[in-house]
Amino acid sequence: MANQKLRGDISLELAKTISEQANNAFNAGSMFEDVTPTTRDLLNHWFGESYTDSRTFNFHEGQKQSILNVIYLHEVLKIKDVLDIYSKVDSDLIPFVNLADLKKEKYSYPKYAIKMATGTGKTWVMHALMIWQLLNAKHEDSYSGRYTKNFLVVAPGIIVYDRLLDAFKGKIKEGTQERDEKTNDFYSNGDLFLPEAYKEEIIRFIQNNTVTK
């Protein structure tokens, strides 16, 4: 069909609409009403002006957008599966997607992808989203099945794998094979990642639950 949109165009259009809706909800304050108290604490700490103005380092706009988009889909829209994203964000796109494909089992649960260029801080976004999931899993009043304490991080090669070990376990001490945990991302950038009320439990989790291949 002449007016048939390419699949890539649909994905980009969907992503743009998600960003617009997430920003509107955040800026209007309605997002804070729809998320959990734990998520509200994190959003305030990460993006509230009283915190960002007092820190040397903050998430840049692309990182902030990625974090907001995932939280918006998961907590505000309460997405159940990939097709649900289209239905709740922009149902006008549904006629242009492969419904048979999206109804496959591999798309039957909340599934999000973040596309960022090399060197733009994907690891920090991953840290934030893991903290968000972890703290909500630990602090929700009753089990919802929408948060987890279990994470599998897959690296595409040795260089990235070593960088991830630095991020979670700290850099190797000079002249040894031991890692200095106080050089990991969570210690080095604790003011950014860790609200004071949750700091100790996040640090303990990272120390006690990070394993290597």
Side-chain angles (χ1 to χ4, degrees), residues 2-184:
N3 65 342
Q4 182 76 31
K5 297 183 181 181
L6 296 175
R7 183 63 179 267
D9 293 336
I10 294 172
S11 298
L12 290 174
E13 188 171 340
L14 179 68
K16 180 181 178 181
T17 304
I18 292 170
S19 294
E20 290 173 351
Q21 292 182 7
N23 288 338
N24 288 339
F26 179 80
N27 293 329
S30 60
M31 180 180 288
F32 292 86
E33 300 172 4
D34 294 329
V35 299
T36 68
T38 301
T39 300
R40 193 178 307 127
D41 289 343
L42 292 172
L43 291 175
N44 276 319
H45 181 80
W46 291 337
F47 308 126
E49 287 186 6
S50 61
Y51 291 97
T52 58
D53 289 348
S54 64
R55 286 194 298 253
T56 303
F57 296 105
N58 286 294
F59 294 108
H60 62 62
E61 286 302 313
Q63 292 170 320
K64 177 182 177 181
Q65 190 69 69
S66 298
I67 295 166
L68 288 180
N69 284 6
V70 172
I71 291 176
Y72 174 75
L73 291 172
H74 199 73
E75 289 202 35
V76 177
L77 297 188
K78 295 179 170 52
I79 294 302
K80 299 188 296 292
D81 52 43
V82 176
L83 182 57
D84 201 28
I85 298 176
Y86 285 93
S87 299
K88 291 181 176 178
V89 173
D90 190 350
S91 59
D92 290 341
L93 294 176
I94 291 178
F96 302 103
V97 302
N98 186 332
L99 290 178
D101 189 35
L102 291 183
K103 289 180 179 179
K104 292 179 180 177
E105 184 178 359
K106 64 180 179 179
Y107 297 120
S108 63
Y109 54 88
K111 189 174 185 179
Y112 313 117
I114 296 170
K115 186 175 183 179
M116 297 174 64
T118 300
T120 56
K122 294 184 291 293
T123 303
W124 279 24
V125 172
M126 179 178 66
H127 289 341
L129 293 176
M130 290 174 71
I131 289 170
W132 161 65
Q133 279 283 311
L134 168 67
L135 291 179
N136 273 288
K138 289 171 66 69
H139 292 279
E140 61 181 346
D141 293 331
S142 59
Y143 178 72
S144 67
R146 294 187 63 80
Y147 304 102
T148 186
K149 303 173 190 175
N150 302 309
F151 306 97
L152 173 65
V153 180
V154 180
I158 295 298
I159 293 175
V160 177
Y161 177 69
D162 286 340
R163 169 65 186 94
L164 288 170
L165 288 179
D166 290 347
F168 284 97
K169 297 178 73 66
K171 295 179 173 60
I172 294 177
K173 297 178 182 178
E174 187 174 354
T176 75
Q177 293 300 311
E178 297 179 3
R179 290 185 176 271
D180 182 359
E181 64 184 21
K182 287 186 168 52
T183 62
N184 72 27

